[in-house]
Amino acid sequence: MADDDAGESPPPRRDWVNTLATIAAPTTFIGALLLYFGVSYTSAFYNYFGVDSATLGFSTQDYALRSASALYLPVATALLVALVGTLIYYAAVAVGKRDTPPPFAIRLFPAALAACGGGLFLLGMLGGFGVWGAGAMQTPLLLSAGLVVLLYSRVLSFKLAAADYPVAREKAAVALVLALVALASFWAAHEYAKSHGFDDAEYLAAHLRLRPTVTIDTTERLYIPHSQVRETILPATAGTGQRFRFRYEGLRLLAEQKGRMFLIPENWSLSDGSVVVLPANSTVRVAFRSG
């Protein structure tokens, strides 16, 4: 009876736990990667205009949403590569289950992949140490791609031999490889986000007409340089309860967050330009128009 119990399969509840853990782990990693990308992108974008993104007070959801549009192409590429890798994996499993050994060319394929992975990793290492002029994003991409290809070639070699992977003696090494891949992924995401945020900010600075035009009426003079805005003194009319005395034109809305408006002059430039921060409350009167 004891032997029969020992041979029983794990209870269904344990299978569900394992399945949920398998799904949750990559989902959590992707979510953290998206958040990190959003923070890096937003920081680079607003730093271009001289604004610390921390002062805007974006929420976690805001950062994640800001990363979505910039990630369509890289995520689509990664999913396509993953799809091809999955198809090759199941083809290797099917070949490994046959009674006859696979042809020599198929058995050579994992070794060829390992050589490619090793070459990519070596290029990444040399680029990181400045041996050749690798870009800020090329080094982490080469390192992570090399490690993934090396690990994938190892998996294929085992599956072609109808064996399970990872084996007990290599589990620690696999964990370290996955940790290095995760680190390199965050590194690459940071560099890509910085580059994309800077490019988007540079484009916006050259096309500020894309942002809404803002006209501000205030009770007090803002002392914004006249070279950046047009100031008009509003006439005081007795008995009308008119509180606003100054009107400012020539501003565009850069952002509105946490009850504050971040306004940028239409003629803003890196050498001569500033961002005006005003409360979005009853102390100012605001008029928006497009174009």
Side-chain angles (χ1 to χ4, degrees):
M1 179 66 70
D3 292 338
D4 293 340
D5 293 341
E8 291 181 357
S9 59
R13 183 176 178 275
R14 187 181 303 174
D15 290 343
W16 276 105
V17 170
N18 292 336
T19 301
L20 289 175
T22 303
I23 296 173
T27 302
T28 302
F29 173 75
I30 292 172
L33 198 61
L34 287 174
L35 177 60
Y36 184 66
F37 182 95
V39 172
S40 300
Y41 171 86
T42 304
S43 178
F45 182 87
Y46 287 104
N47 279 345
Y48 183 88
F49 297 102
V51 178
D52 186 352
S53 61
T55 63
L56 290 160
F58 287 122
S59 65
T60 300
Q61 184 179 7
D62 292 330
Y63 284 124
L65 289 175
R66 287 174 178 272
S67 69
S69 61
L71 288 176
Y72 288 144
L73 182 59
V75 169
T77 303
L79 290 175
L80 181 60
V81 172
L83 174 61
V84 174
T86 302
L87 294 176
I88 294 175
Y89 170 83
Y90 283 112
V93 171
V95 171
K97 289 180 178 180
R98 294 177 180 175
D99 295 333
T100 58
F104 176 75
I106 294 180
R107 285 184 281 118
L108 189 63
F109 182 67
L113 270 184
C116 291
L120 291 173
F121 183 79
L122 180 61
L123 280 175
M125 290 292 292
L126 294 177
F129 286 108
V131 177
W132 67 285
M137 195 167 57
Q138 289 174 310
T139 297
L141 284 178
L142 288 171
L143 289 173
S144 58
L147 289 171
V148 169
V149 172
L150 281 170
L151 182 60
Y152 185 67
S153 66
R154 186 69 173 158
V155 172
L156 288 184
S157 65
F158 270 72
K159 292 304 176 182
L160 287 174
D164 292 329
Y165 190 82
V167 291
R169 65 179 181 274
E170 295 186 11
K171 286 185 177 180
V174 170
L176 289 174
V177 168
L178 293 177
L180 288 171
V181 169
L183 178 62
S185 298
F186 278 93
W187 181 3
H190 176 68
E191 296 299 335
Y192 178 70
K194 281 175 53 181
S195 175
H196 198 77
F198 181 88
D199 290 343
D200 283 356
E202 190 175 42
Y203 180 83
L204 179 60
H207 302 82
L208 283 174
R209 65 181 182 276
L210 299 174
R211 303 298 299 158
T213 300
V214 183
T215 300
I216 301 290
D217 292 345
T218 65
T219 57
E220 298 180 354
R221 177 168 276 146
L222 296 180
Y223 294 100
I224 304 174
H226 289 175
S227 61
Q228 298 182 19
V229 297
R230 297 183 297 277
E231 180 187 78
T232 303
I233 299 177
L234 300 176
T237 304
T240 61
Q242 171 64 269
R243 298 184 298 113
F244 301 101
R245 298 297 312 280
F246 302 94
R247 173 167 293 175
Y248 296 92
E249 299 173 288
L251 295 167
R252 300 278 177 163
L253 181 65
L254 180 63
E256 183 177 358
Q257 188 73 11
K258 299 292 185 181
R260 293 171 299 165
M261 295 178 294
F262 292 76
L263 308 175
I264 185 170
E266 292 177 343
N267 60 352
W268 185 92
S269 66
L270 278 174
S271 58
D272 181 23
S274 58
V275 175
V276 181
V277 184
L278 292 176
N281 55 28
S282 60
T283 61
V284 296
R285 184 168 59 192
V286 186
F288 294 100
R289 69 175 185 271
S290 61

